[in-house]
Amino acid sequence: HILEPSSLLGGCADMSRFLSAYYILNGGVIATYPLFSLWARHEYPNSAAMLEGWERQTFMTLCAMCVVKFGRMVNLDSWISDMFMYAKSGILLLSWMMDQRIFSWYCVMYAMLFLYVRKPEYKGPSKIEWLNPATLKRRVLSPDDEEDKKVVWLVEFYASWSPPCVNLEPTFADLSCKYTSDSLRFAKFDLTRWPKSGEEFGINVSGTSKQLPTLILFEKGVETARVPHIYKDGRIARARLRKADIVAAFQLDNRRKKSVLKSAFEKKE
């Protein structure tokens, strides 16, 4: 699939998140490497050629990974986060060969970034509704209101500490803005606060889980589709969370067309 500009940016006009501490500080720490590299060449001239060779191999590997990840990325947020991780890993390896003092400095910086600098939450345009166990049951699973019974819900079960969940935020918000209608609504359910609810839907909420986030489509209170899919033998399918993949998995374009036709028909009547 060819990614649209809106898919790359998470489909939002709010680009201020890329000026947050997470992006600036991670980029700043990575940008210090050339200075340490120059110092190491001056301090250890006999090892300069070997260091240059390692740097060339690392750079070529990073470029290849950038290209591969760009074609598979969920959105720009996830791609940049992946590049930060790969770049920091490469720098850590090179700094170990340079000087253990430089290696120790990067270890401390990475630890501080991990502990104190979180990736910013998406705060742009959205039509997502927030559910708790009571509203999930009343509005989605066992709706009493006649209007709620006609609504199809696409619910994201997420955990705020999970990087894939954070990466999906701009994309899911964009989908909610584009596809929300009287017959289709988007919602999120926080498994960090209510993990037992996740277990009821067969969602593993542990730190090693491959089911975060999980998107479930409910029609008349019944689950009709899910990403990632769970096979009968318990295996978890690979989650495809690009915008185009989600649209295809839940047939969002077809649902929107049906909603538009239905609205036009009702207006004529």
Side-chain angles (χ1 to χ4, degrees):
H1 296 287
I2 298 176
L3 298 179
E4 301 173 358
S6 60
S7 299
L8 300 179
L9 302 178
C12 62
D14 180 20
M15 300 295 291
S16 61
R17 66 187 185 280
F18 294 114
L19 299 177
S20 66
Y22 171 83
Y23 294 100
I24 292 175
L25 294 178
N26 274 282
V29 169
I30 292 172
T32 62
Y33 177 78
L35 299 177
F36 285 118
S37 178
L38 290 173
W39 175 85
R41 293 166 191 267
H42 180 269
E43 191 73 9
Y44 308 108
N46 294 334
S47 302
M50 183 177 67
L51 176 61
E52 183 177 345
W54 277 100
E55 287 178 337
R56 188 181 301 110
Q57 290 183 31
T58 302
F59 179 75
M60 292 176 64
T61 301
L62 286 174
C63 287
M65 296 177 77
C66 284
V67 173
V68 171
K69 279 290 183 179
F70 189 83
R72 299 177 179 177
M73 69 179 177
V74 173
N75 49 42
L76 190 60
D77 303 63
S78 64
W79 183 76
I80 293 176
S81 295
D82 286 340
M83 293 308 102
F84 280 161
M85 180 181 67
Y86 296 142
K88 289 190 291 187
S89 298
I91 288 174
L92 205 60
L93 176 63
L94 291 171
S95 65
W96 171 258
M97 294 186 294
M98 280 185 194
D99 191 292
Q100 290 189 4
R101 291 170 295 178
I102 299 175
F103 175 79
S104 299
W105 185 86
Y106 275 115
C107 285
V108 171
M109 290 298 103
Y110 291 173
M112 293 181 66
L113 288 172
F114 177 77
L115 293 173
Y116 300 112
V117 184
R118 293 186 59 185
K119 189 172 182 178
E121 295 182 1
Y122 174 75
K123 296 181 180 179
S126 170
K127 292 185 179 180
I128 297 172
E129 301 183 40
W130 300 85
L131 302 174
N132 56 41
T135 54
L136 176 65
K137 182 178 181 180
R138 186 179 72 250
R139 303 189 63 193
V140 180
L141 301 179
S142 304
D144 295 327
D145 187 274
E146 289 300 322
E147 291 300 320
D148 282 340
K149 290 181 180 180
K150 300 177 183 178
V151 175
V152 175
W153 290 87
L154 180 55
V155 181
E156 177 193 351
F157 292 85
Y158 78 102
S160 57
W161 50 262
S162 169
C165 293
V166 177
N167 290 336
L168 183 63
E169 286 182 354
T171 298
F172 197 63
D174 177 48
L175 290 171
S176 73
C177 292
K178 184 174 182 179
Y179 291 100
T180 293
S181 65
D182 293 337
S183 59
L184 176 62
R185 294 178 186 172
F186 291 73
K188 296 183 72 171
F189 187 93
D190 189 353
L191 294 177
T192 305
R193 300 179 64 184
W194 302 289
K196 289 185 179 180
S197 296
E199 294 174 4
E200 293 174 3
F201 289 100
I203 302 173
N204 181 356
V205 296
S206 68
T208 58
S209 174
K210 297 181 180 180
Q211 294 177 272
L212 294 174
T214 287
L215 304 179
I216 300 180
L217 190 75
F218 294 95
E219 299 186 59
K220 297 181 180 180
V222 178
E223 176 184 332
T224 58
R226 169 190 295 231
V227 172
H229 179 71
I230 302 178
Y231 295 106
K232 292 182 179 180
D233 60 3
R235 290 182 298 115
I236 309 299
R238 179 184 175 185
R240 299 183 181 278
L241 298 173
R242 294 187 302 174
K243 182 179 178 181
D245 295 326
I246 296 174
V247 170
F250 299 107
Q251 300 180 339
L252 297 184
D253 282 330
N254 290 336
R255 295 178 185 279
R256 183 174 60 172
K257 290 178 182 178
K258 290 180 180 178
S259 178
V260 171
L261 290 174
K262 183 179 178 180
S263 297
F265 181 76
E266 289 176 350
K267 286 181 180 179
K268 288 182 179 179
E269 289 185 339

